[in-house]
Amino acid sequence: LTLEMPTVNLDREVTVLATVPVVIQSLKSCAMTWQKLISRVLEEQLKKVPQGNGPLAEIDLWREKNATLSALTEQIKLPEVQKVLEILQQAESKFIGDFQVVLNDLKKHHMEAQDSAKFLSTLERHLKNLSTGPGVDVISNTIPSLLNALRLVWIMSRCYNKDERMVPFLERISWEISTRVRRVVDLQTLFKLDVAAAKKKITEAKTTLEQWKKCYFTTCIQVEESGSKRYWKFDVKRLFEKTDYMVLICQDLYDIFQVIEEIYNVFIPELTTVTENPKAIDELRREVNIIISPMEDLTFDPFSMETARDWAFIMEEFREDVTVEIVKQIFVQNLKDPPRYKNHPPVAGAISWSRSLSQRIQHTITRFQEEEDFLASERGKEVKQIHLQVVKKMEEYENQKYRQWRERTEHMLPLLLKDTLLTTSATEEPVTTKKHVCFTLNFSPEILEIIIETKYMEQLELPVPEMARYVALQEDKYLGYTNKLKAMLDRYHKLMEMMNEAEIKLLDQYVQELWRILKSGQKRFTWKSVGIGEFILQCTQTIGKLELLVHQVHNISEDISSKLRSIESTNLFKFPHSKNGDKHPGAKEFFDYVKCEQAKEVKQLVRKYSAIPQLLIEVERRVASTNTGKSPKLASYYAYWENRIYQVLTRLIVKNLQAFNATIVANVPLLQIEAVLSVPGITLQPNASEIEKMTAQSIQDCVEVTKHFIRWMHGTCIECPPQHVKAGEVVTFSFYCDISQSPLIIEQTVLITQSVHKLLASLNKCLNQWKRYDLLWKSDKDAVLGRLAAEKPACVIFDEQLQFYMKVSQEVTQQPLIKDEQFIRLQLAPLASAVQENAKSWMMSLGKLLNDLVREEFFSLQDEIQVG
């Protein structure tokens, strides 16, 4: 495009040339040519549209416009052109005004093209990635940065900051993204891939479409937050209606492959396990290929909204086909153990399950019958054949199940009704232990199953045997009988568990009567008998009577047990309390106190023991209707309690001896003894032998407590009277003879004896340290003093002797005077006093001898002086 220059000479001044008419006329003609050219170019450029549906075509358009308009603008700026315009303006030509308008249009459109080309060029790299990027992941990564760049264009550009510019451009981007997704999700190649790869492609495509919309709305928020007064309030339907529809199609395709994957994952392992036939697996694959074949041969674009109805039909057909296939596989998989509805019996439940599967595919068969064109096609014939085969197999399965149930019911039901009401798990021999006859309900669960099956068979409109119908009508009666029998047997077993062996023997007469009645339910009554209700009532009444008697016996037993617990917990070793913290009783006082307190406790024990026979006579009155205390019916019961008393008395003695032994070894002094000087040695007072005897006697007193518990005569609860065996010798039968020989008591006796012996040995060892003073009383004082008198030693010798005995006297006062060892406190004060007295005696004797020797020397010296 070139502007033609005027042919006149324009070398003179503008003011001069503006006055020359010929020049003005020539320049005006030239300018009009320019105006026509510029107007024509502008008109052509405004009519141009992008050559393509993508955003890159719009960028190319603006670049082309910018190049064309830039060429004209640059020519307008030439000096010759500018001088022509100045001359025409100087000449005040009317034409110059119209020409100026055209120039202004050129400038405006040029600036618009320049601005648009410049800002859209910043998007080119992102848009090329959308158009020709190597994968969908590139598109996903490009979308955020592209929209961010568009946001900057919107804010900075003078042209693309308006809805009429930005919305069409965004539509082109949306078109580009959807086109790329169409290329990725190509159905002809998609169904040739393995399931995992196909699902991955679809997921990537769907994610890309969703990201486009998500990033758009994120950018809308960013535009608002940027402070711009122009928000993105575009028509969302124009931008995303198509891509949203494509998302739905991608989801449909994903669902298709997901269903295929689930069919393979679920049913192929099951077919391998159930049928062990590889042909069944090949058949499954073939049927799945038939189902998906319409997808591979589509004659329309599934992503086009214009074909939405056609796609919906394809999806509906697929879902129905899949339903049939899944139903078939579920049927094959669960033939041996079909799932049942809650409370459904096995056979009727299996038939109901089969029918429910059949109903799920029934509407599909009906629909196929309405589609004559489809049925006439090869695929239609294949699908119809599959459906008919499935339905036929289900019908055969239902017929087989029903036939087998009817035959078994007609055979088994009469036999089951001949069963007795009860069965037992023990022999009919007399009970000699706590084990009792265990009765169980003999109502076969199969009867209830037949009743339930019968009801459900009638609901399924299948004929049932007459006897089964009759039994089903009597269901409430049978359930009532079984519930009452269960309650009665539970009550019986609970009652028998309440009784111990002695009580079962005690109530043997009543238990045998109850068993006699219950055994009629084991031998005579069957589920066809008439008097079942009366039998249950009789059993219940008899159990009630026995229950009352058992509770009465238990109440009395509890009273006896309470007394025995009180006897067993009695303390037979009560010790005196010290009058103050240091003063404790002596050994004899201590053991006398224990014996006295023991005697008091024995009186209480005997009183409790004597009350037991009266309680047993009360049991006798209730059980045997006598009150003699020697009923043969209670002989074993008397023996049971006498044995209990023996065990309690044994535990009483053992526990008290254990407590006494624990007291002995505990480091708490309860009695005191003294250490005394008994020339020629040091000893305890009382001595060890006496203490051991007192301890042994205390043990014996404890064991002899049982002499106060008189044994009962054989087969009674009456105390045995004293027996005169010899003249003047009376023997009383008590528990002492047996208890005193108990190994447990003998063991405790030995332990206590050993503990006391060790304690006394330890105390004697403590006295050994005092033996260093034994020269004080073991030396012959007269002989020692006689030798000293004969020797007449120097005074210093006497001084050494006196110092020694004085030191002994002082040392003794510094020794501890009390020694606590386990339950004995040893008083050492008497011993210390005796040692001190002996030391002083030696000091007195030595002083007297010294005095005598000095006096004798003095008188001798006096005589010598007088002689001289």
Side-chain angles (χ1 to χ4, degrees):
L1 297 172
T2 305
L3 296 179
E4 294 182 5
M5 293 296 109
T7 55
V8 297
N9 187 359
L10 300 177
D11 292 337
R12 287 179 292 175
E13 294 294 330
V14 172
T15 53
V16 175
L17 293 173
T19 58
V20 180
V22 177
V23 172
I24 296 300
Q25 184 63 35
S26 175
L27 294 180
K28 181 179 179 181
S29 174
C30 183
M32 289 180 66
T33 303
W34 294 347
Q35 180 180 352
K36 290 179 182 179
L37 176 62
I38 294 170
S39 297
R40 179 174 59 80
V41 169
L42 288 174
E43 184 179 355
E44 288 176 355
Q45 293 302 318
L46 290 175
K47 287 181 180 180
K48 283 187 176 182
V49 295
Q51 299 301 305
N53 295 322
L56 288 173
E58 187 161 339
I59 294 176
D60 292 341
L61 174 65
W62 283 115
R63 282 178 175 167
E64 183 182 342
K65 283 185 177 181
N66 182 40
T68 301
L69 298 179
S70 292
L72 286 176
T73 301
E74 291 301 320
Q75 292 183 66
I76 294 297
K77 292 178 182 179
L78 292 173
E80 294 90 339
V81 175
Q82 290 298 314
K83 191 169 185 176
V84 169
L85 295 178
E86 286 179 15
I87 293 170
L88 292 175
Q89 189 171 6
Q90 185 69 30
E92 297 181 356
S93 172
K94 295 180 181 179
F95 168 75
I96 196 63
D98 294 336
F99 188 73
Q100 194 64 44
V101 170
V102 173
L103 289 179
N104 288 338
D105 284 344
L106 174 60
K107 182 179 179 181
K108 181 185 73 172
H109 289 297
H110 175 240
M111 289 179 64
E112 180 184 39
Q114 190 178 42
D115 183 270
S116 299
K118 180 179 71 173
F119 282 103
L120 292 184
S121 295
T122 62
L123 309 175
E124 187 172 17
R125 176 172 58 86
H126 305 303
L127 295 174
K128 284 183 177 179
N129 282 337
L130 286 186
S131 177
T132 59
V136 180
D137 56 333
V138 174
I139 300 175
S140 296
N141 295 331
T142 299
I143 289 174
S145 54
L146 171 61
L147 283 168
N148 185 57
L150 275 172
R151 179 177 64 84
L152 296 176
V153 169
W154 173 264
I155 293 171
M156 300 174 65
S157 172
R158 292 190 298 270
C159 299
Y160 273 81
N161 59 356
K162 302 178 184 63
D163 292 11
E164 58 269 20
R165 290 287 190 195
M166 186 59 76
V167 172
F169 192 72
L170 287 171
E171 281 187 279
R172 289 177 175 277
I173 295 174
S174 184
W175 178 89
E176 190 70 63
I177 293 172
S178 62
T179 301
R180 285 302 305 276
V181 168
R182 277 186 171 90
R183 291 204 296 269
V184 170
V185 187
D186 177 38
L187 267 61
Q188 289 185 352
T189 59
L190 194 65
F191 282 94
K192 294 178 182 178
L193 300 174
D194 63 82
V195 173
K199 285 174 64 179
K200 182 180 178 183
K201 274 185 172 292
I202 296 168
T203 302
E204 290 175 347
K206 180 172 175 283
T207 302
T208 300
L209 294 170
E210 290 172 337
Q211 188 182 18
W212 160 234
K213 187 173 184 179
K214 179 182 177 182
C215 290
Y216 166 79
F217 284 110
T218 302
T219 307
C220 290
I221 295 172
Q222 291 173 347
V223 170
E224 291 183 16
E225 292 176 348
S226 68
S228 173
K229 295 181 181 179
R230 298 184 303 278
Y231 298 158
W232 278 19
K233 300 293 184 182
F234 306 146
D235 186 350
V236 176
K237 184 178 180 181
R238 286 180 61 182
L239 299 180
F240 300 109
E241 183 179 21
K242 293 180 180 179
T243 54
D244 285 348
Y245 179 73
M246 292 180 70
V247 168
L248 297 177
I249 301 302
C250 286
Q251 186 61 54
D252 285 343
L253 291 170
Y254 185 89
D255 291 344
I256 290 170
F257 282 99
Q258 182 67 26
V259 168
I260 294 171
E261 184 177 49
E262 289 174 358
I263 289 175
Y264 286 157
N265 290 345
V266 173
F267 296 120
I268 287 181
E270 292 296 337
L271 287 172
T272 303
T273 303
V274 176
T275 65
E276 297 180 354
N277 184 3
K279 291 184 178 179
I281 298 173
D282 294 338
E283 179 66 16
L284 171 61
R285 295 185 186 277
R286 188 185 69 81
E287 291 171 359
V288 169
N289 289 334
I290 292 174
I291 292 172
I292 64 175
S293 60
M295 309 288 179
E296 301 179 87
D297 302 323
L298 289 181
T299 57
F300 60 87
D301 180 8
F303 292 110
S304 173
M305 295 180 65
E306 287 75 14
T307 60
R309 185 175 179 182
D310 296 331
W311 177 253
F313 177 81
I314 291 293
M315 284 304 298
E316 181 184 357
E317 183 180 289
F318 170 77
R319 292 188 182 98
E320 290 172 350
D321 291 349
V322 165
T323 299
V324 173
E325 183 60 34
I326 291 175
V327 166
K328 176 186 175 183
Q329 297 304 327
I330 290 174
F331 178 73
V332 172
Q333 174 185 337
N334 295 282
L335 277 177
K336 293 182 179 179
D337 185 21
R340 288 177 280 158
Y341 295 111
K342 187 178 180 180
N343 300 325
H344 273 54
V347 180
I351 294 174
S352 297
W353 166 74
S354 177
R355 288 191 178 183
S356 68
L357 293 179
S358 179
Q359 289 170 2
R360 286 170 64 179
I361 61 174
Q362 194 63 42
H363 76 281
T364 305
I365 298 174
T366 304
R367 180 177 169 275
F368 285 156
Q369 292 173 348
E370 296 172 355
E371 298 288 338
E372 295 181 0
D373 293 341
F374 177 75
L375 284 178
S377 66
E378 287 299 322
R379 183 176 177 280
K381 292 177 182 179
E382 289 179 344
V383 172
K384 179 181 178 182
Q385 187 63 28
I386 293 172
H387 289 189
L388 292 177
Q389 288 176 355
V390 173
V391 172
K392 184 179 179 181
K393 286 181 180 178
M394 290 178 177
E395 289 176 352
E396 291 174 352
Y397 174 77
E398 293 170 19
N399 292 335
Q400 181 187 13
K401 282 284 184 182
Y402 167 73
R403 184 174 63 257
Q404 291 174 347
W405 172 80
R406 185 181 181 100
E407 291 173 356
R408 177 170 176 78
T409 300
E410 290 175 343
H411 172 69
M412 288 299 300
L413 188 56
L415 300 177
L416 294 172
L417 293 176
K418 290 180 181 179
D419 287 343
T420 56
L421 301 182
L422 306 176
T423 59
T424 59
S425 59
T427 63
E428 299 182 9
E429 298 175 1
V431 176
T432 56
T433 65
K434 176 127 178 12
K435 299 295 182 182
H436 57 269
V437 179
C438 181
F439 292 92
T440 55
L441 183 65
N442 191 31
F443 185 74
S444 173
E446 195 169 347
I447 296 177
L448 278 180
E449 189 175 292
I450 289 173
I451 290 173
I452 299 171
E453 292 280 11
T454 300
K455 288 185 173 183
Y456 277 96
M457 289 294 182
E458 289 186 327
Q459 290 180 13
L460 294 170
E461 299 181 352
L462 294 172
V464 298
E466 285 303 319
M467 182 175 285
R469 179 181 287 109
Y470 171 78
V471 172
L473 292 173
Q474 303 294 317
E475 179 185 12
D476 291 341
K477 183 177 75 173
Y478 283 114
L479 289 177
Y481 285 158
T482 55
N483 289 335
K484 289 178 181 178
L485 285 168
K486 284 179 183 177
M488 180 268 290
L489 291 175
D490 288 344
R491 191 175 170 188
Y492 160 74
H493 291 124
K494 184 178 179 182
L495 175 61
M496 297 304 294
E497 288 296 330
M498 287 171 59
M499 294 187 288
N500 57 32
E501 180 183 344
E503 289 167 344
I504 291 177
K505 291 180 179 179
L506 170 67
L507 302 173
D508 183 66
Q509 173 185 348
Y510 300 91
V511 173
Q512 292 294 340
E513 174 61 18
L514 176 57
W515 285 347
R516 183 188 64 79
I517 297 171
L518 286 171
K519 285 176 182 176
S520 63
Q522 175 197 357
K523 296 178 179 179
R524 182 162 57 90
F525 285 100
T526 69
W527 294 103
K528 296 171 67 176
S529 300
V530 177
I532 297 177
E534 290 76 8
F535 165 73
I536 297 172
L537 179 61
Q538 186 181 13
C539 291
T540 304
Q541 290 175 345
T542 306
I543 291 172
K545 292 177 183 178
L546 182 56
E547 276 179 339
L548 178 61
L549 192 56
V550 169
H551 285 305
Q552 292 172 345
V553 171
H554 279 179
N555 290 335
I556 297 172
S557 298
E558 180 55 33
D559 289 345
I560 299 174
S561 297
S562 176
K563 294 184 184 300
L564 293 180
R565 286 194 295 272
S566 178
I567 291 172
E568 184 177 341
S569 62
T570 301
N571 180 11
L572 297 177
F573 285 96
K574 292 185 177 178
F575 308 122
H577 298 288
S578 60
K579 296 176 182 178
N580 54 58
D582 296 326
K583 185 66 175 176
H584 293 282
K588 187 175 185 309
E589 182 185 354
F590 175 82
F591 285 108
D592 287 346
Y593 180 88
V594 170
K595 186 172 183 179
C596 181
E597 292 297 316
Q598 211 169 74
K600 295 177 185 178
E601 292 294 336
V602 168
K603 292 179 181 178
Q604 299 293 330
L605 295 176
V606 171
R607 186 160 50 250
K608 294 171 185 175
Y609 171 71
S610 300
I612 293 175
Q614 291 302 317
L615 293 172
L616 292 175
I617 290 172
E618 178 62 21
V619 174
E620 178 188 343
R621 187 181 67 79
R622 295 180 182 276
V623 174
S625 301
T626 60
N627 56 359
T628 61
K630 54 183 179 181
S631 171
K633 293 181 179 179
L634 273 77
S636 63
Y637 198 59
Y638 299 145
Y640 164 76
W641 280 109
E642 193 170 23
N643 182 56
R644 284 280 303 275
I645 293 167
Y646 165 76
Q647 294 171 355
V648 165
L649 291 176
T650 302
R651 289 196 295 272
L652 167 68
I653 303 303
V654 170
K655 287 180 180 178
N656 275 277
L657 291 179
Q658 288 173 338
F660 184 40
N661 189 40
T663 302
I664 289 172
V665 299
N667 293 318
V668 179
L670 296 176
L671 61 89
Q672 66 181 26
I673 60 176
E674 296 178 346
V676 296
L677 178 60
S678 178
V679 179
I682 301 172
T683 185
L684 301 173
Q685 190 176 11
N687 60 38
S689 177
E690 291 172 336
I691 294 173
E692 288 180 341
K693 286 179 181 179
M694 285 187 277
T695 303
Q697 185 59 48
S698 186
I699 296 171
Q700 184 64 25
D701 292 342
C702 175
V703 178
E704 287 183 355
V705 165
T706 58
K707 287 184 177 181
H708 299 275
F709 293 84
I710 309 302
R711 297 292 294 265
W712 299 337
M713 290 188 288
H714 182 67
T716 74
C717 62
I718 301 171
E719 291 185 359
C720 184
Q723 302 296 310
H724 299 274
V725 294
K726 294 180 182 178
E729 184 178 353
V730 179
V731 177
T732 301
F733 290 104
S734 68
F735 285 94
Y736 173 75
C737 295
D738 295 323
I739 291 176
S740 62
Q741 298 174 13
S742 169
L744 294 174
I745 292 175
I746 294 172
E747 178 186 0
Q748 289 302 315
T749 301
V750 171
L751 288 175
I752 294 171
T753 304
Q754 290 175 347
S755 297
V756 172
H757 183 77
K758 289 179 181 177
L759 171 57
L760 293 173
S762 176
L763 290 174
N764 280 319
K765 187 176 180 181
C766 175
L767 297 179
N768 288 338
Q769 61 180 329
W770 290 85
K771 290 182 179 180
R772 67 177 182 270
Y773 305 120
D774 59 0
L775 289 176
L776 295 176
W777 54 84
K778 284 186 177 182
S779 299
D780 187 346
K781 187 186 298 182
D782 294 335
V784 172
L785 292 175
R787 287 196 301 271
L788 284 174
E791 293 175 0
K792 296 181 180 181
C795 289
V796 67
I797 300 300
F798 279 96
D799 184 60
E800 290 175 357
Q801 290 290 328
L802 289 171
Q803 289 292 336
F804 169 74
Y805 291 114
M806 185 180 293
K807 182 180 178 182
V808 169
S809 179
Q810 292 175 349
E811 186 179 291
V812 167
T813 60
Q814 296 173 357
Q815 294 290 333
L817 302 180
I818 293 176
K819 170 67 175 176
D820 287 341
E821 188 80 15
Q822 295 183 358
F823 85 121
I824 293 179
R825 170 165 288 179
L826 176 61
Q827 292 286 355
L828 295 167
L831 176 60
S833 178
V835 172
Q836 199 171 26
E837 287 299 325
N838 275 274
K840 288 179 179 179
S841 175
W842 276 97
M843 289 171 65
M844 292 297 293
S845 297
L846 286 171
K848 184 176 180 300
L849 176 60
L850 177 61
N851 183 57
D852 291 343
L853 291 175
V854 169
R855 283 172 59 84
E856 182 181 347
E857 185 68 28
F858 175 74
F859 287 126
S860 174
L861 182 60
Q862 187 178 19
D863 291 341
E864 287 179 5
I865 293 171
Q866 289 177 354
V867 172

